[in-house]
Amino acid sequence: MRIEDYALIGDMQSAALVGRDGSIDWLCLPRFDSPACFASLLGSERNGHWWLGPTGRQAATRRRYRGESLILESEWETPTGTVRVIDFMPPRDVNPDVVRIVEGVSGTVEMSTTLRIRFDYGRIVPWVRRTDGHLQAVGGPDSVWLHSPVPLKGGDYAHRATFHVKEGERLPFVFTWHPSHEPMPRQIACEDQLRETEEMWSEWVDQCTYKGPWREAVVRSLITLKALTYAPTGGIVAAPTTSIPEDIGGVRNWDYRFCWLRDATMTLDALIGAGYLQEAADWRAWLLRAIAGRPQDLQIMYGVAGERRLPELKLDWLAGYEDSRPVRIGNEAVNQLQLDVYGEVLNCLYVSRTSGLSPDDRAWAIQRELLDYVEAHWDEPDEGLWEVRGPRRHFTHSKVMCWVAMDRAIRQVENFGRSGPVERWKALRDRIHAEICDKGFDTERNTFTQSYGSVELDAALLLIPLVGFLPVDDPRVTGTVRAIELELMSDGFVLRYPVAEDNDVDGLPGAEGAFLACSFWLVEVMAKQGRHDEACTLFDRLLTLRNDVGLLAEEYDPRYERLVGNFPQAFSHVPLVHAARALS
């Protein structure tokens, strides 16, 4: 299936992707970054999946989330009747559960299910036994139980069942993970958990302060962002998947199941703007734990609990999504220098304070240390926002975000009475600003460039007016926006930067689609420029790229007219929220 054929369910500690045909093809337990027990998304059904639907395996007639929640309802209309499957993961008590309830809507429908459990990303075939009528699968440290009134029979290293559901009947299936050395976990009451899950999401959405014309899209994006939050620590993952390709059949396949400081700060900015301060407080606490230590040891990403070692490995037993190899776990970019992260962090902490988050002396002390590092290293080349795997450069966007770091520190002093060498910071802020305008600007073309001395453009330059580096009506900003619209647009969407064989910026072969975040940035800039009608037209077009349940991947590839990249992607839903607020 295509990426857009999947929907997300989750419990704010992990998540699953459910296909339009009723198959769960991706599930990592007990955490977002744990080894998958269903990995057919990146291989074949032999790598683990759980299909549940009418016999004959067809796509659902329709599906939706129940109200403003993460409870998925898929319906099939068959010649003999209509059936609904309700999929959700209740907020976790002790062990993670995946609940699937088959509900007869009308008539009588023959249903089938196939459960093929494969631990360790589809590599380990577990030992399965039946205990008191329930299935238990064990493999190394992992154990799962399936509880259901429907008996499943084993064969060919899978378990299957065929059964009938009549109008008014509800048949539950509960899939529960636990460490294999522990006793069987207690069974949950499915209907109670369904009601409590719906109430939890309803109460959370009620806090949303956005009342604009795009509320449905904004709320669905906010729910998705909340689902990507790791509740025990406050960390926020960029996406719940790994190695969904940016270029179908290519090598641009990365693991996004970690907490990027940049993505997390942008996510929090969107949540704060919608009235969610508790998430900001939780993330600030996570941040202070994760980056504790020397400022020079700051990483661009961490594990969901603040882990620092995220070694990148290739899983050669997985064929990859549509033969896109390699499949990677871990992320080598963890060791990169990306100077823009410092500006993102300090900006987010400043926005949190302006939004009413209480002051924290320890947070300010760490910000002071980060500022010391920026003062000493802002003029060095780095890998930049896009985590290029080519040579380091003096990326213009990175320098702009160093300016942001100093600017927000100055505002902390001036607006909140924090202590610091503000005159020294002001001098450095002015120096960085002057250098960017001198070395990062092409006077002949009237545009900022991707890096000092280059002629290439970069969509990240659209952030210059959004972070306050220059006014949106400054001629240099106007020229940059015009140049991006002329040179970086593909089928009406914005590319990150030119990708060509003679351009060694990212150090990778192959092409890629249009990064959706970049087009949303353009919407926001257009809105601030007073180009409201153009901005609305582009925004509405971007909204049509969402799948039928409102989710976006990282990119859209105009060549194939499909979503590509990890899914769903926080870095796409965050600027959607910002753009809607700008237009409203």
Side-chain angles (χ1 to χ4, degrees):
M1 289 184 291
R2 290 190 169 200
I3 301 302
E4 48 265 53
D5 287 327
Y6 288 98
L8 177 78
I9 60 173
D11 64 357
M12 288 159 291
Q13 294 191 44
S14 185
L17 293 187
V18 185
R20 197 186 296 268
D21 64 346
S23 182
I24 297 179
D25 292 340
W26 182 253
L27 175 63
C28 300
L29 294 174
R31 304 192 335 176
F32 290 108
D33 56 353
S34 297
C37 58
F38 299 143
S40 64
L41 177 72
L42 301 179
S44 72
E45 291 183 351
R46 293 286 177 180
N47 299 120
H49 75 120
W50 182 10
W51 169 65
L52 176 62
T55 301
R57 193 155 187 173
Q58 58 198 17
T61 307
R62 54 187 167 270
R63 61 179 181 171
R64 62 182 179 273
Y65 284 114
R66 177 181 290 189
E68 295 175 328
S69 77
L70 207 62
I71 300 169
L72 180 68
E73 297 183 334
S74 305
E75 292 185 0
W76 287 263
E77 293 181 356
T78 76
T80 62
T82 301
V83 65
R84 177 183 300 126
V85 174
I86 303 168
D87 291 315
F88 68 101
M89 295 178 69
R92 196 174 303 184
D93 181 15
V94 178
N95 302 106
D97 300 291
V98 176
V99 179
R100 316 193 76 178
I101 300 174
V102 179
E103 178 184 8
V105 178
S106 66
T108 299
V109 179
E110 182 179 274
M111 300 288 288
S112 296
T113 187
T114 299
L115 176 66
R116 185 175 279 110
I117 302 165
R118 295 292 185 270
F119 296 124
D120 194 25
Y121 301 102
R123 191 175 193 181
I124 295 177
V125 179
W127 173 56
V128 182
R129 65 176 180 174
R130 191 178 302 277
T131 302
D132 297 329
H134 306 290
L135 288 181
Q136 181 191 20
V138 177
D142 299 297
S143 176
V144 295
W145 290 80
L146 181 70
H147 304 288
S148 176
V150 177
L152 277 69
K153 294 183 179 180
D156 191 27
Y157 299 103
H159 285 74
R160 299 176 176 86
T162 298
F163 58 98
H164 292 81
V165 61
K166 300 177 181 179
E167 180 179 344
E169 284 187 321
R170 293 168 72 94
L171 299 174
F173 295 78
V174 181
F175 183 89
T176 304
W177 179 95
H178 72 113
S180 60
H181 64 276
E182 294 183 356
M184 183 180 78
R186 68 176 183 85
Q187 296 183 46
I188 64 171
C190 296
E191 299 295 343
D192 290 344
Q193 289 296 313
L194 176 61
R195 183 180 62 258
E196 291 175 11
T197 301
E198 186 173 10
E199 290 174 354
M200 182 277 294
W201 282 111
S202 178
E203 291 173 0
W204 188 82
V205 170
D206 284 346
Q207 302 173 50
C208 178
T209 58
Y210 177 80
K211 307 297 182 184
W214 293 279
R215 179 178 167 82
E216 179 274 328
V218 168
V219 168
R220 179 51 52 193
S221 291
L222 292 171
I223 289 173
T224 304
L225 297 174
K226 177 64 172 176
L228 298 180
T229 301
Y230 186 67
T233 65
I236 302 171
V237 299
T241 57
T242 178
S243 298
I244 301 181
E246 298 170 9
D247 180 26
I248 299 295
V251 301
R252 296 170 182 263
N253 318 316
W254 317 110
D255 193 347
Y256 277 16
R257 298 171 301 155
F258 306 115
C259 303
W260 270 257
L261 296 186
R262 177 191 308 108
D263 295 49
T265 57
M266 291 181 174
T267 298
L268 280 174
D269 199 13
L271 289 169
I272 290 170
Y276 294 100
L277 276 182
Q278 185 57 52
E279 283 72 15
D282 293 343
W283 182 81
R284 184 174 69 178
W286 173 88
L287 174 71
L288 298 183
R289 295 190 302 269
I291 70 175
R294 301 182 304 170
Q296 60 264 38
D297 295 330
L298 180 77
Q299 297 180 180
I300 64 165
M301 74 179 88
Y302 297 86
V304 293
E307 297 89 349
R308 300 192 177 199
R309 294 187 181 181
L310 310 174
E312 186 173 299
L313 305 173
K314 298 177 181 178
L315 307 186
D316 56 10
W317 63 86
L318 289 174
Y321 179 86
E322 294 192 18
D323 295 321
S324 303
R325 298 183 180 91
V327 172
R328 294 181 174 93
I329 58 171
N331 201 305
E332 196 174 87
V334 69
N335 299 313
Q336 288 188 351
L337 174 64
Q338 298 178 17
L339 291 170
D340 68 292
V341 167
Y342 294 86
E344 299 287 2
V345 170
L346 271 82
N347 178 67
C348 183
L349 292 173
Y350 174 72
V351 170
S352 298
R353 287 288 289 115
T354 61
S355 300
L357 197 64
S358 60
D360 186 301
D361 292 340
R362 182 164 168 254
W364 179 244
I366 290 180
Q367 289 177 76
R368 289 286 303 269
E369 292 185 4
L370 297 180
L371 288 162
D372 290 343
Y373 185 83
V374 172
E375 286 188 87
H377 299 276
W378 71 271
D379 56 354
E380 296 178 5
D382 71 339
E383 278 89 1
L385 166 72
W386 304 123
E387 299 180 357
V388 299
R389 300 205 173 190
R392 288 183 175 181
R393 299 168 185 258
H394 290 281
F395 287 105
T396 302
H397 171 261
S398 294
K399 307 303 185 189
V400 168
M401 295 311 295
C402 288
W403 176 91
V404 168
M406 306 313 299
D407 180 73
R408 302 314 190 256
I410 293 165
R411 296 191 194 189
Q412 288 269 19
V413 173
E414 294 178 342
N415 297 338
F416 298 111
R418 288 298 185 180
S419 61
V422 69
E423 295 305 320
R424 192 178 81 210
W425 289 346
K426 286 183 177 179
L428 180 57
R429 180 182 64 178
D430 294 344
R431 179 184 169 194
I432 295 173
H433 196 284
E435 181 180 292
I436 293 169
C437 293
D438 177 37
K439 297 182 179 181
F441 186 76
D442 185 335
T443 55
E444 293 185 5
R445 296 163 62 209
N446 190 35
T447 180
F448 285 96
T449 58
Q450 183 178 54
S451 59
Y452 288 179
S454 75
V455 297
E456 305 292 353
L457 295 175
D458 191 317
L461 300 170
L462 291 169
L463 296 172
I464 285 176
L466 301 183
V467 299
F469 182 81
L470 285 173
V472 71
D473 58 354
D474 186 285
R476 291 164 293 185
V477 171
T478 303
T480 300
V481 174
R482 183 181 300 113
I484 288 173
E485 291 184 74
L486 289 173
E487 300 181 32
L488 283 187
M489 300 286 281
S490 174
D491 195 33
F493 301 111
V494 184
L495 303 174
R496 291 191 296 175
Y497 49 79
V499 176
E501 292 185 3
D502 59 350
N503 183 4
D504 64 347
V505 172
D506 64 10
L508 294 167
E512 65 178 21
F515 251 66
L516 295 174
C518 303
S519 295
F520 284 117
W521 293 341
L522 179 58
V523 170
E524 193 172 355
V525 170
M526 284 178 169
K528 292 182 181 296
Q529 287 181 324
R531 301 161 60 188
H532 191 267
D533 290 344
E534 290 178 80
C536 286
T537 298
L538 178 55
F539 187 66
D540 287 336
R541 187 170 180 224
L542 285 164
L543 292 185
T544 66
L545 301 183
R546 300 180 303 152
N547 72 356
D548 58 316
V549 290
L551 302 181
L552 288 169
E554 184 176 35
E555 302 179 23
Y556 173 77
D557 196 326
R559 297 173 300 173
Y560 310 117
E561 297 183 342
R562 60 183 297 187
L563 296 175
V564 293
N566 282 305
F567 176 88
Q569 172 65 243
F571 206 46
S572 297
H573 285 279
V574 165
L576 183 158
V577 175
H578 286 312
R581 287 169 53 195
L583 289 172
S584 299

